[in-house]
């Protein structure tokens, strides 16, 4: 049993990789974006957007881990405070924490993915993909043990990531 965190900027391939690895292990895959979008669809608002989604995913992860299931968290986890949530959960439950930092080293490909994903979405008249690009400067580098996967280079990373998590 393991708590795995797939972290990285939007559009780098976290969700795709998390789902593929989750099927191989097997592990429950809990995506912060899915929870956040659902909360927004039900008009749940908060002072800090996205904060509640992290809390909901942490609670769901705790339930799954307590039942003996491995869990993969699919979340940007851009700053130390968000990452600390996963560290504290793993420590509290006495389960290993493994971080998989997903990157896309090809800037043109990353931009293409982000623009395709957010092409129709805007907020206050600004395309969402512009906001994603702006958030890159807010992403704090990961420190400590982790597996870094560059989805622009990796032909088949699923096996290597699954081995790292076992």
């Amino acid at each position: 049993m393991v708590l795995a965190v797939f972290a990285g900027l939007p559009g780098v391939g976290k969700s795709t990789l998390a789902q593929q690895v989750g099927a191989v292990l097997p592990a429950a895959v809990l995506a912060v974006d899915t929870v956040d979008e659902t909360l927004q669809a039900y008009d749940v608002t908060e002072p800090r957007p996205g904060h509640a989604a992290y809390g909901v995913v942490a609670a769901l992860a705790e339930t799954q881990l307590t039942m003996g299931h491995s869990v993969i968290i699919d979340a940007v986890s851009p700053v130390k405070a968000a990452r600390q949530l996963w560290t504290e959960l793993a420590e509290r439950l006495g389960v290993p924490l493994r971080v998989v930092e997903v990157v896309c080293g090809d800037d043109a490909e990353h931009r293409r993915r982000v623009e395709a994903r957010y092409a129709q979405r805007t907020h206050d008249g600004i395309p969402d993909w512009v906001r994603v690009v702006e958030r890159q400067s807010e992403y704090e580098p990961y420190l400590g043990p982790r597996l870094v996967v560059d989805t622009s280079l990796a032909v088949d990373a699923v096996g290597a990531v699954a081995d790292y998590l076992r």
Side-chain angles (χ1 to χ4, degrees), residues 53-81:
Y54 276 79
V56 170
V57 168
L60 293 170
E62 183 166 357
T63 299
Q64 293 299 310
L65 290 163
T66 301
M67 292 174 16
H69 299 216
S70 289
V71 173
I72 294 173
I73 304 294
D74 171 10
V76 174
S77 298
V79 295
K80 185 178 179 180

Side-chain angles (χ1 to χ4, degrees), residues 34-146:
T34 301
V35 173
D36 192 40
E37 290 166 7
T38 303
L39 290 172
Q40 290 177 33
Y42 283 90
D43 293 324
V44 175
T45 59
E46 57 175 318
R48 294 183 293 175
H51 186 73
Y54 276 79
V56 170
V57 168
L60 293 170
E62 183 166 357
T63 299
Q64 293 299 310
L65 290 163
T66 301
M67 292 174 16
H69 299 216
S70 289
V71 173
I72 294 173
I73 304 294
D74 171 10
V76 174
S77 298
V79 295
K80 185 178 179 180
R83 297 168 186 171
Q84 190 63 31
L85 184 63
W86 316 128
T87 301
E88 290 172 0
L89 176 60
E91 288 174 355
R92 187 170 64 254
L93 298 180
V95 299
L97 173 66
R98 301 283 184 272
V99 174
V100 178
E101 187 174 20
V102 185
V103 300
C104 181
D106 181 332
D107 290 340
E109 173 62 14
H110 186 209
R111 183 178 176 111
R112 185 199 65 74
R113 291 178 189 177
V114 170
E115 287 176 348
R117 181 175 176 186
Y118 295 99
Q120 303 303 319
R121 294 169 47 180
T122 63
H123 184 74
D124 297 331
I126 300 172
D128 279 357
W129 67 265
V130 170
R131 293 185 185 283
V132 169
V133 172
E134 290 171 350
R135 286 181 61 196
Q136 288 181 353
S137 64
E138 299 170 3
Y139 188 85
E140 296 175 2
Y142 251 98
L143 302 175
R146 68 196 182 286

